């Protein structure tokens, strides 16, 4: 299949010089791969007139837990303790009432995220819904002792769960969540089963309190705990990371792990913000993502990058955009030992303006209302159209049933009581 994108405005990333470039003309695609550029538009199976369209590397959101979108109703006055307690309490209630809860909720989130131009995501569980969606997905199998996840920790469950979900768009991994929710059994389980998955996702350094709780429990810092179980390496994705010092960042660089910042989620949870510039200066591969919609109420990555720029005016716009597009794909390349960089994976938006260089493109992207962009996702040279199943009333009933339980428990102060882990 030969495709021509005619009259295209194209913001691209040049890996050889580590810079963005800008091109106007025709882009040629064959079998999902970018094969060249020029002025020809004959001899193609499909020609798309891209006049007044801007194509860019596809948006990514590798920390956006799809099922948490249902918690939007309760997001206010957050801190990390309340957030963790909500997930434990409400997650246990919901799953005990409906074993298909995660798969019920995921299509709503997928519809929203894909139709905002995002083609690579990271989420827990939700394998069935994700396998049927047009996107790449880091799918985390949660290994934790938290209230609503500890029942998953058994060997047959892992084999059955991962073995029965083998769609080519899914990359399987283990999720540690926070280390204070883990013990020797859960970490040993991951270490002994690493050959079954491609990566590990762990939340570390969200704030000083969480880091100190881990030290109290393990008598080691978070990176030392991971290293003790051989869980700190190039296939490790570290989220949170607000409470990292210079020595921590160097240790992450030494093992070639990836760091994922969620600045909007950290702001919502009243956490300090991570030092993205320090990672950039040290050469650590770092990404930005939305984080859980239960805390940020948003999985639109244009909004995330714009808010990140407002929060960190010293951080160059091209670095922020790279962290939301190029760096997560490089993480996927590193984990899978493949290179999908030249695949025709684009986020396309309307742009009836003449740009002069990459900087003028960034000024446009960072200033335009993110909810007016109406992006289209192209994967492997094919424009994506993704619709939820036509079960609108069924979905409304699902929401009604969950929100009824929310209304029942939202006023209960005990739902925000957590148990502080003790020393082993």
């Amino acid at each position: 299949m030969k495709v021509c994108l005619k009259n295209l405005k194209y913001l691209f990333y040049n890996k050889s010089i580590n810079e963005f470039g800008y091109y106007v003309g025709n882009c040629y695609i064959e079998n999902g791969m970018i094969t060249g550029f020029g002025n020809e538009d004959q001899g193609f199976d499909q020609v798309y007139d891209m006049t007044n369209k801007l194509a860019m590397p596809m948006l990514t959101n590798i920390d956006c837990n799809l099922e948490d979108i249902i918690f939007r109703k309760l997001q206010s006055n957050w801190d990390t303790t309340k957030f963790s307690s909500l997930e434990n309490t409400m997650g246990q209630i919901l799953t005990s009432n409906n074993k298909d809860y995660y798969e019920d909720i995921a299509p709503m989130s997928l519809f929203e995220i894909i139709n905002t131009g995002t083609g690579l995501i990271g989420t827990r569980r939700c394998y069935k819904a994700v396998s049927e969606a047009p996107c790449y997905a880091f799918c985390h199998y949660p290994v934790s002792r938290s209230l609503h996840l500890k029942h998953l920790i058994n060997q047959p469950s892992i084999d059955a769960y991962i073995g029965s979900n083998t769609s080519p768009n899914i990359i399987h991994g283990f999720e540690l969540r926070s280390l204070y929710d883990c013990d020797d059994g859960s970490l040993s389980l991951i270490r002994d089963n690493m050959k079954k998955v491609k990566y590990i996702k762990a939340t570390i350094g969200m704030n000083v309190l969480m880091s100190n709780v881990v030290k109290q429990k393990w008598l080691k810092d978070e990176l030392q705990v991971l290293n003790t179980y051989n869980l700190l390496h190039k296939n490790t994705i570290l989220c949170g990371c607000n409470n990292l010092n210079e020595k921590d960042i160097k240790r992450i660089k030494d093992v070639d792990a990836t760091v994922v910042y969620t600045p909007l989620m950290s702001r919502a949870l009243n956490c300090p913000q991570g030092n993205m510039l320090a990672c950039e200066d040290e050469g650590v591969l770092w990404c930005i993502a939305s984080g859980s919609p239960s805390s940020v109420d948003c999985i639109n990555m244009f909004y995330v990058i714009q808010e990140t720029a407002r929060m960190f005016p010293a951080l160059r716009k091209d670095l922020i955009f790279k962290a939301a597009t190029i760096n997560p794909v490089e993480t996927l390349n590193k984990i899978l030992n493949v290179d999908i960089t030249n695949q025709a994976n684009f986020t396309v938006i309307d742009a009836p303006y003449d740009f002069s260089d990459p900087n003028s493109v960034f000024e446009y992207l960072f200033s335009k209302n993110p909810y007016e962009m109406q992006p289209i996702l192209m994967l492997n040279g094919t424009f994506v159209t993704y619709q939820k199943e036509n079960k609108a009333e069924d979905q409304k009933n699902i929401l009604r049933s969950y929100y009824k339980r929310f209304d029942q428990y939202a006023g209960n102060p005990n739902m925000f009581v957590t148990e502080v882990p003790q020393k082993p």
Side-chain angles (χ1 to χ4, degrees):
M1 181 71 170
K2 294 183 178 181
V3 175
C4 174
L5 304 182
K6 184 179 178 180
N7 300 324
L8 177 70
K9 299 171 184 176
Y10 181 33
L11 177 70
F12 65 91
Y13 186 73
N14 189 330
K15 288 180 66 174
S16 63
I17 60 174
N18 297 320
E19 291 181 2
F20 283 96
Y22 178 63
Y23 165 81
V24 179
N26 297 350
C27 174
Y28 309 139
I29 300 167
E30 186 170 357
N31 297 325
M33 305 294 292
I34 302 170
T35 57
F37 303 89
N39 298 311
E40 296 294 328
D41 60 6
Q42 302 297 315
F44 294 93
D45 300 302
Q46 180 71 56
V47 177
Y48 294 100
D49 185 357
M50 304 295 287
T51 302
N52 291 332
K53 298 289 187 182
L54 171 69
M56 64 198 78
M58 71 176 177
L59 293 174
T60 66
N61 193 348
I62 64 173
D63 187 11
C64 63
N65 301 324
L66 298 177
E67 72 277 10
D68 283 358
I69 203 166
I70 195 70
F71 292 152
R72 281 175 165 174
K73 184 178 174 69
L74 295 181
Q75 56 111 6
S76 62
N77 300 319
W78 282 119
D79 61 36
T80 48
T81 302
K82 290 181 180 179
F83 178 73
S84 178
S85 182
L86 169 71
E87 287 200 311
N88 285 343
T89 306
M90 292 308 300
Q92 187 179 35
I93 293 166
L94 294 174
T95 53
S96 65
N97 283 272
N98 181 2
K99 66 178 181 180
D100 296 322
Y101 155 66
Y102 302 116
E103 300 292 359
D104 285 342
I105 296 302
M108 304 179 204
S109 305
L110 283 166
F111 178 79
E112 180 175 339
I113 199 166
I114 291 169
N115 286 282
T116 52
T118 300
L120 172 63
I121 67 173
T123 186
R124 301 181 197 129
R125 301 165 288 253
C126 304
Y127 291 94
K128 182 178 182 295
V130 171
S131 67
E132 298 170 353
C135 64
Y136 297 100
F138 290 102
C139 276
H140 330 313
Y141 183 92
V143 176
S144 170
R145 300 300 190 190
S146 62
L147 290 177
H148 74 294
L149 296 176
K150 62 184 180 180
H151 67 282
L152 296 174
I153 300 182
N154 61 80
Q155 181 61 35
S157 178
I158 292 174
D159 287 337
Y161 210 71
I162 294 179
S164 62
N165 294 278
T166 57
S167 299
N169 66 317
I170 290 180
I171 305 98
H172 289 288
F174 283 125
E175 181 190 25
L176 294 179
R177 292 171 57 85
S178 297
L179 286 168
Y180 66 81
D181 272 336
C182 295
D183 59 16
D184 176 73
S186 54
L187 296 185
S188 297
L189 181 70
I190 296 177
R191 179 195 59 204
D192 297 341
N193 287 276
M194 271 306 301
K195 290 183 178 179
K196 298 175 182 177
V197 299
K198 297 296 185 182
Y199 70 94
I200 305 162
K201 174 181 176 284
T203 299
I204 68 167
M206 199 66 192
N207 58 19
V208 175
L209 171 63
M210 296 303 183
S211 296
N212 287 341
V213 169
V214 172
K215 285 183 180 180
Q216 177 190 4
K217 177 175 182 177
W218 293 93
L219 306 180
K220 298 177 182 178
D221 69 35
E222 292 158 303
L223 292 176
Q224 288 172 331
V225 173
L226 291 173
N227 195 52
T228 298
Y229 288 85
N230 299 319
L231 303 181
L232 187 61
H233 45 67
K234 75 178 184 68
N235 286 23
T236 302
I237 299 174
L238 300 170
C239 296
C241 299
N242 297 317
N243 188 39
L244 297 181
N245 57 37
E246 184 176 331
K247 181 180 177 182
D248 294 332
I249 293 174
K250 288 183 181 295
R251 283 192 285 175
I252 293 170
K253 170 62 177 176
D254 288 342
V255 298
D256 194 25
T258 297
V259 169
V260 178
Y261 291 108
T262 52
L264 273 65
M265 182 171 174
S266 296
R267 182 176 67 182
L269 298 181
N270 299 314
C271 294
Q273 293 291 343
N275 191 343
M276 291 173 267
L277 272 175
C279 280
E280 181 67 25
D281 292 342
E282 191 62 38
V284 171
L285 188 61
W286 64 278
C287 312
I288 60 170
S290 68
S292 170
S294 57
S295 58
V296 301
D297 196 22
C298 178
I299 46 181
N300 183 319
M301 284 304 294
F302 281 119
Y303 177 78
V304 172
I305 64 174
Q306 289 184 8
E307 282 298 294
T308 302
R310 293 186 185 98
M311 294 163 64
F312 301 93
L315 197 58
R316 296 197 330 250
K317 290 182 174 64
D318 63 316
L319 294 180
I320 295 173
F321 190 78
K322 182 170 177 275
T325 56
I326 303 300
N327 291 356
V329 172
E330 288 298 322
T331 300
L332 185 148
N333 292 344
K334 176 179 64 170
I335 287 173
L336 296 184
N337 294 315
V338 299
D339 191 346
I340 71 165
T341 306
N342 289 324
Q343 287 183 358
N345 298 328
F346 306 134
T347 298
V348 181
I349 63 171
D350 291 333
Y353 302 100
D354 292 326
F355 303 109
S356 57
D357 55 26
N359 287 333
S360 63
V361 177
F362 288 128
E363 288 303 317
Y364 178 76
L365 294 177
F366 280 76
S367 62
K368 186 173 175 60
N369 186 329
Y371 299 103
E372 294 178 354
M373 290 189 177
Q374 298 181 330
I376 303 171
L377 178 65
M378 170 177 272
L379 284 181
N380 298 319
T382 302
F383 284 106
V384 167
T385 55
Y386 178 68
Q387 301 293 330
K388 291 182 292 186
E389 292 185 33
N390 187 20
K391 296 181 179 179
E393 194 57 37
D394 289 347
Q395 295 293 345
K396 288 180 181 178
N397 286 333
I398 291 171
L399 288 172
R400 290 188 190 110
S401 66
Y402 292 148
Y403 284 145
K404 184 177 180 180
R405 282 174 231 143
F406 284 160
D407 292 337
Q408 179 180 355
Y409 287 92
N412 179 5
N414 293 327
M415 74 177 290
F416 293 132
V417 175
T418 58
E419 178 183 344
V420 177
Q422 302 299 311
K423 294 181 182 180

